[in-house]
């Protein structure tokens, strides 16, 4: 719960390794960016991240090559890989039922969604994807990108972001998680696993 | 699609369009005004940004329907992403996707408006004929006992065990067969929304109705003839196409408390009060998990309300909180649960065991609308301490109710999730601070951004809805409300739109 966040975060010394250079929600009453638009904050964070990466010797190389993906409308192959990693983290295969995000190619669905969004939304979400990809380095000091972490590391990373003291990190998780969950559970292939019989009018007519 | 409704994604916009009355927005306010004016023999054009969806075009699927029926494809939020701002974007407006509850303006709220804000013409006696007509427009009727699904009965059972006051609400459905997907439209056309009542009547009376018509700005607000600058949209409403203009003597803006203020701001119309005093009436969804299968996704999702803690008085207006059952299709429910990964899937595999409620907490003005990028509004809102305190109390009351009804646990969707399984757990709700983007708050009843006022120094529009500083540019929707009109705004908006239209000379 949020009341215990302070003590939890104080143990997490890597919480704001880089972002702490900018603004920390804890030191500004929980609403640190009221003077900034979300977009500008994203740009600032990424700008600072880029400086750090360059200063550390071109660590953009960390992300390595991403496999080519046919048919993408907006996302680059690297962005697709990051988004696919997020989707597999939020909705992994296995567990109580087998179907997972990868089977439904939710990253491609997101690409299709972005194709009809205005440029500023695409820009925001592209920035957010970069922040996620380099998050392990920027925030935790780990020499890995998100999509190259193990599934366990990704899950821990994402959950830390979801309950982070830093508003930006929470916002980033919301931006992707809502879309991914909605599309996943709207898919008829998932419905039998959750006991949903499908749209009721169709069910009545069967 | 009715043959009488002109879809500008499929038809070239008219080169020259003139009218006496241009109404922007086809929800409860705009459709009502269009109907009444057309029936008076006036020349009316009604413009709607969304598409026209009735019957089987409403597919009961989350992805397609949130995309098509909601503003910003279902993704509109406050600037800090704390609160999902749910607004209709279809012919008929929010009434196409609301929960169909009919809750008139409490008389004490009208007394509050009179005493606190001095607004004439909106007393209980003056509004009474319009309130009655609004109920007739909606075909309002009580939800029958046999229409209460198990989730609603469980909420009532728990409340009654605790001796808490509650009520089965009135609704505007006719011929409802309990499909359960009200929030993404009714393919049975059971909802007697403006799309099915006021708009056909307006068309029959000669009004011209255009969909996929986005209004970008209004010019000449102080002149006799105004120009409404529009863009036709594509079939999905994603991309703007041909630009066209409409000339009108009178412009009635009825595009919601967000959209109306935003259009005025984009047009440079009005005084500095335009956009201020936003109320979002933020609601918190909680879920109760039962051992038995509840199947809350079938039947009327929102029928019973616990009203024990809701108050309305002349001093403060609507206050306290109410607890109302709710349920959605799997996609939207999954976005309101706090788990991800294997745990998230495990929790969703118990979808049939979930009952849910919205904790509805009326607020005071605490936000504003600003112009944003890409023609979209920025919605700024700061939650106040008294709102947080009432939410915490509402969580405790709702938990007691569900535990009394036999729930195994109640889930508050914060991070990490707060699981309440006994009275002893309730104190943990005291630690919730509802910091931005920590819980999935949502808003369905935005109000107040062009406040009615007796002086231009106190609000954005006069008591007749005319925007201060303009000549016959009006707001007729919930933008004008100085405080929360009701826990559900459809009936209030039709009521006040009727009253304001009746005054229009």
């Amino acid at each position: 719960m949020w009341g215990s966040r302070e003590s939890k975060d104080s143990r997490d010394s890597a919480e704001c390794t880089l972002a702490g250079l900018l603004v920390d929600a804890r030191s500004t009453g929980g609403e640190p960016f009221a003077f900034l638009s979300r977009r500008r904050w994203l740009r600032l964070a990424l700008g600072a991240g880029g400086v750090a990466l360059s200063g550390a010797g071109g660590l953009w190389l960390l992300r390595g090559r991403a496999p080519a993906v046919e048919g993408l409308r907006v996302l680059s192959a690297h962005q697709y890989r990051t988004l696919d990693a997020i989707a597999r983290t939020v909705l992994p295969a296995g567990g109580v039922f087998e179907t997972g995000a990868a089977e439904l190619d939710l990253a491609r669905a997101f690409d299709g969604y972005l194709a009809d969004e205005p440029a500023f939304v695409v820009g925001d979400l592209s920035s957010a994807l970069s922040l996620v990809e380099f998050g392990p380095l920027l925030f935790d000091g780990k020499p890995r990108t998100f999509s190259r972490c193990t599934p366990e590391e990704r899950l821990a990373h994402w959950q830390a972001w979801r309950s982070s003291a830093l508003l930006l990190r929470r916002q980033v998780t919301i931006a992707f998680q809502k879309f991914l969950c909605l599309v996943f559970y709207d898919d008829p292939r998932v419905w039998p696993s959750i006991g949903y019989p499908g749209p009721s009018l169709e069910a009545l007519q069967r | 699609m009715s043959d009488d409704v002109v879809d500008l994604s499929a038809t070239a916009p008219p080169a020259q369009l003139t009218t006496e009355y241009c109404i922007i927005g086809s929800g409860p306010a705009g459709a009502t005004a269009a109907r009444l004016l057309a029936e008076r023999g006036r020349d009316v054009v009604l413009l709607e940004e969304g598409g026209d969806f009735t019957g089987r075009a409403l597919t009961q699927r989350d992805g397609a329907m949130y995309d098509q029926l909601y503003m910003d494809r279902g993704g509109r939020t406050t600037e800090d992403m704390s609160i999902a701002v749910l607004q209709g974007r279809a012919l008929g407006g929010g009434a196409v996707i609301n929960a169909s509850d009919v809750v008139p303006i409490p008389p004490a709220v009208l007394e509050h408006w009179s005493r606190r804000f001095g607004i004439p013409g909106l007393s209980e006696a003056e509004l009474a004929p319009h309130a009655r007509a609004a109920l007739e427009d909606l075909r309002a009727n009580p939800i029958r006992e046999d229409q209460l699904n198990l989730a609603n009965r469980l909420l009532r059972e728990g409340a009654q065990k605790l001796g808490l006051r509650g009520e089965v609400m009135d609704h505007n459905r006719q011929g409802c067969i309990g499909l359960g997907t009200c929030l993404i439209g009714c393919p049975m056309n059971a909802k007697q929304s403006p799309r099915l009542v006021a708009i056909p009547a307006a068309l029959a009376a000669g009004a011209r109705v255009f969909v996929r018509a986005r209004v970008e700005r209004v010019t000449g607000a102080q002149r006799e003839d105004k120009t409404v600058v529009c863009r036709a949209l594509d079939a999905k409403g994603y991309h703007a196409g041909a630009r066209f203009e409409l000339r009108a003597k009178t412009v009635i803006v009825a595009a919601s408390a967000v959209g109306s203020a935003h259009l005025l701001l984009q047009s440079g119309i009005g005084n500095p009060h335009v956009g201020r005093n936003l109320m979002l009436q933020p609601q918190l969804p909680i879920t109760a998990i039962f051992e038995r299968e509840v199947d809350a996704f079938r039947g009327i999702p929102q029928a019973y309300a616990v009203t024990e803690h809701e108050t309305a008085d002349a001093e403060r207006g609507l206050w306290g909180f109410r607890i109302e059952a709710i349920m959605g299709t799997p996609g939207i429910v999954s976005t309101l649960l706090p788990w991800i990964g294997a745990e998230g899937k495990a929790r969703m595999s118990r979808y049939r065991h979930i009952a849910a409620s919205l904790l509805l907490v009326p607020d005071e003005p605490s936000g504003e609308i600003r112009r944003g990028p890409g023609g979209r509004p920025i919605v700024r809102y700061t939650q106040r301490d008294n709102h947080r305190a009432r939410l915490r109390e509402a969580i405790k009351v709702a938990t007691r109710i569900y535990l009394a009804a036999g729930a195994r646990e109640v889930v508050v969707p914060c991070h990490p999730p707060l699981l309440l399984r006994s009275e002893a757990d309730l104190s943990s709700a005291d630690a919730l601070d509802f910091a931005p983007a920590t819980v999935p708050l949502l808003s369905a009843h935005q109000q107040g951004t062009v406040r009615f006022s007796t002086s231009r120094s106190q609000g954005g529009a006069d008591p007749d809805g005319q925007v201060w500083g303009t000549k016959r540019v009006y707001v007729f929707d919930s933008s004008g409300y100085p405080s929360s009109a009701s826990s559900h705004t459809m009936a209030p908006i039709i009521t006040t739109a009727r009253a304001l239209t009746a005054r229009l000379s």
Side-chain angles (χ1 to χ4, degrees):
Chain A
M1 81 200 72
W2 289 102
S4 61
R5 198 173 59 218
E6 185 67 30
S7 57
K8 168 187 169 295
D9 288 342
S10 64
R11 293 194 302 271
D12 183 4
S13 58
E15 169 77 6
C16 297
T17 311
L18 173 64
L21 296 173
L22 299 170
V23 190
D24 186 328
R26 288 168 297 188
S27 63
T28 52
E31 189 59 61
F33 313 120
F35 63 100
L36 292 175
S37 74
R38 183 160 52 91
R39 300 182 64 212
R40 187 166 169 217
W41 161 233
L42 281 169
R43 267 188 243 119
L44 275 175
L46 291 165
V51 170
L53 290 165
S54 303
L59 289 181
W60 285 100
L61 292 173
L62 264 183
R63 66 179 185 171
R65 285 176 177 272
V69 185
E70 292 294 320
L72 294 179
R73 298 170 68 189
V74 175
L75 297 175
S76 68
H78 279 106
Q79 289 172 326
Y80 176 90
R81 185 180 67 179
T82 304
L83 193 50
D84 186 53
I86 295 170
R88 290 168 188 258
T89 302
V90 174
L91 298 152
V96 292
F97 58 93
E98 185 54 35
T99 310
E103 184 182 329
L104 275 52
D105 201 357
L106 295 185
R108 188 177 296 278
F110 198 89
D111 179 65
Y113 167 81
L114 283 181
D116 290 309
E117 279 295 287
F120 79 92
V121 173
V122 174
D124 277 0
L125 290 172
S126 297
S127 299
L129 276 176
S130 297
L131 202 59
V132 172
E133 181 66 355
F134 294 107
L137 175 70
L138 296 176
F139 294 96
D140 301 337
K142 294 177 181 170
R144 275 191 297 284
T145 58
F146 183 79
S147 56
R148 292 186 151 192
C149 287
T150 66
E152 294 75 21
E153 287 172 330
R154 284 183 205 153
L155 180 61
H157 191 73
W158 194 259
Q159 285 177 325
W161 278 49
R162 189 66 196 86
S163 54
S164 169
L166 199 63
L167 175 61
L168 173 70
R169 294 171 65 161
R170 303 197 299 271
Q171 290 170 329
V172 167
T173 61
I174 290 172
F176 295 111
Q177 205 169 297
K178 282 176 74 171
F179 177 92
L180 294 169
C181 286
L182 191 142
V183 173
F184 182 78
Y185 285 106
D186 186 41
D187 194 301
R189 287 171 284 185
V190 177
W191 295 342
S193 303
I194 62 171
Y196 179 58
S200 41
L201 195 54
E202 286 177 21
L204 282 174
Q205 290 171 342
R206 277 199 292 270
Chain B
M1 169 75 71
S2 162
D3 290 340
D4 298 318
V5 175
V6 180
D7 181 352
L8 292 182
S9 72
T11 306
Q16 293 286 334
L17 198 55
T18 60
T19 185
E20 282 182 273
Y21 292 89
C22 174
I23 300 171
I24 302 166
S26 69
T32 298
R35 173 195 185 170
L36 297 180
L37 289 167
E39 287 178 345
R40 265 197 236 165
R42 315 313 303 188
D43 181 23
V44 174
V45 169
L46 177 62
L47 301 172
E48 167 57 47
E49 177 176 337
D52 185 14
F53 295 86
T54 57
R56 297 303 296 268
L58 299 160
T59 63
Q60 301 190 280
R61 295 290 299 274
D62 284 308
M65 293 293 95
Y66 279 98
D67 184 277
Q68 285 298 294
L69 300 179
Y70 283 75
M71 278 293 175
D72 297 349
R73 306 171 72 184
R76 179 167 288 181
T77 69
T78 51
E79 185 181 35
D80 63 4
M81 298 178 75
S82 292
I83 304 172
V85 180
L86 306 177
Q87 298 192 280
R89 186 195 191 221
L91 192 62
V96 175
I97 46 88
N98 69 6
S100 292
D101 301 308
V102 176
V103 184
I105 308 173
V109 169
L110 297 173
E111 183 64 21
H112 175 62
W113 290 1
S114 175
R115 277 201 213 172
R116 167 75 176 76
F117 300 98
I119 299 174
L122 296 178
S123 69
E124 183 181 5
E126 287 164 308
L127 279 187
H130 305 294
R132 282 194 297 274
L135 298 183
E136 289 169 12
D137 289 349
L138 290 165
R139 320 284 196 256
N141 65 98
I143 295 173
R144 300 189 313 267
E145 180 66 25
D146 67 332
Q147 291 178 307
L148 286 183
N149 68 10
L150 179 56
N152 280 276
R153 294 201 308 272
L154 287 167
L155 182 66
R156 180 175 66 179
E157 177 187 324
Q160 288 178 339
K161 281 183 179 174
L162 299 177
L164 301 177
R165 185 181 73 236
E167 64 187 23
V168 177
M169 290 183 278
D170 287 356
H171 65 161
N172 68 327
R173 299 178 184 87
Q174 289 201 332
C176 173
I177 59 170
L179 297 180
T181 50
C182 312
L183 304 184
I184 48 176
C186 178
M188 294 300 293
N189 291 337
K191 277 185 189 181
Q192 300 303 295
S193 77
R195 173 61 192 90
L196 299 178
V197 180
I199 288 170
L203 286 164
R208 289 170 286 172
V209 178
F210 296 86
V211 297
R212 298 299 187 202
R214 173 185 292 159
V215 177
E216 294 189 331
R217 65 184 184 279
V218 177
T219 64
Q222 294 166 326
R223 294 200 298 265
E224 194 68 32
D225 291 317
K226 290 87 183 156
T227 300
V228 180
V229 180
C230 311
R231 296 285 291 271
L233 302 179
D234 65 8
K236 293 273 189 179
Y238 298 151
H239 305 289
R243 183 174 179 272
F244 66 102
E245 293 183 353
L246 179 153
R247 297 193 190 286
K249 300 283 186 196
T250 301
V251 172
I252 297 172
V253 185
S256 85
V258 176
S260 293
H262 187 240
L263 178 59
L264 294 176
L265 291 168
Q266 293 218 109
S267 305
I269 292 175
N271 65 22
H273 288 279
V274 171
R276 293 186 185 168
N277 299 312
L278 172 68
M279 293 166 281
L280 289 179
Q281 215 174 73
Q283 306 179 49
L284 176 68
I286 61 162
T287 49
I289 313 302
F290 286 83
E291 290 296 342
R292 65 200 290 192
E293 291 169 349
V294 180
D295 287 347
F297 51 85
R298 291 287 189 258
I300 292 174
Q302 190 165 73
Y304 187 78
V306 180
T307 57
E308 174 76 22
H309 304 85
E310 184 180 57
T311 63
D313 59 60
E315 283 303 307
R316 192 160 221 178
L318 193 65
W319 206 248
F321 61 85
R322 61 196 270 150
I323 300 164
E324 298 181 340
I326 192 66
M327 194 57 181
T329 28
I332 197 66
V333 169
S334 70
T335 69
L336 302 176
L337 294 179
W339 294 279
I340 62 163
E343 174 70 8
K345 289 173 66 178
R347 289 285 179 164
M348 272 303 287
S349 73
R350 304 279 290 169
Y351 177 61
R352 298 187 66 185
H353 299 257
I354 293 174
S357 273
L358 285 169
L359 312 181
L360 190 155
V361 182
D363 56 345
E364 53 202 331
S366 192
E368 64 175 346
I369 304 300
R370 301 288 291 269
R371 295 177 64 184
R376 291 185 178 180
I378 291 173
V379 183
R380 287 195 178 144
Y381 187 85
T382 302
Q383 194 184 25
R384 299 198 180 199
D385 285 343
N386 70 61
H387 195 273
R388 295 189 189 96
R390 283 179 289 150
L391 263 185
R392 285 190 283 268
E393 181 61 20
I395 288 170
K396 293 178 185 177
V397 173
T399 300
R400 289 191 182 104
I401 290 170
Y402 276 124
L403 293 178
R408 191 182 68 203
E409 65 184 7
V410 171
V411 180
V412 181
C414 52
H415 298 272
L418 182 58
L419 306 180
L420 305 171
R421 294 175 175 132
S422 69
E423 182 72 24
D425 292 337
L426 296 187
S427 60
S428 55
D430 293 331
L432 292 166
D433 64 5
F434 306 105
T438 60
V439 291
L441 293 170
L442 57 90
S443 163
H445 310 127
Q446 306 85 26
Q447 300 165 74
T449 52
V450 193
R451 174 189 279 179
F452 299 147
S453 60
T454 53
S455 156
R456 65 186 66 214
S457 66
Q458 294 176 330
D462 71 18
D464 290 334
Q466 185 165 230
V467 179
W468 289 112
T470 72
K471 190 172 186 178
R472 298 185 71 80
V473 175
Y474 294 86
V475 288
F476 271 18
D477 56 22
S478 62
S479 305
Y481 295 163
S483 76
S484 271
S486 170
S487 54
H488 296 276
T489 47
M490 175 171 61
I493 291 171
I494 294 176
T495 300
T496 50
R498 275 187 160 275
L500 294 167
T501 307
R503 285 188 224 157
L504 205 56
S505 57

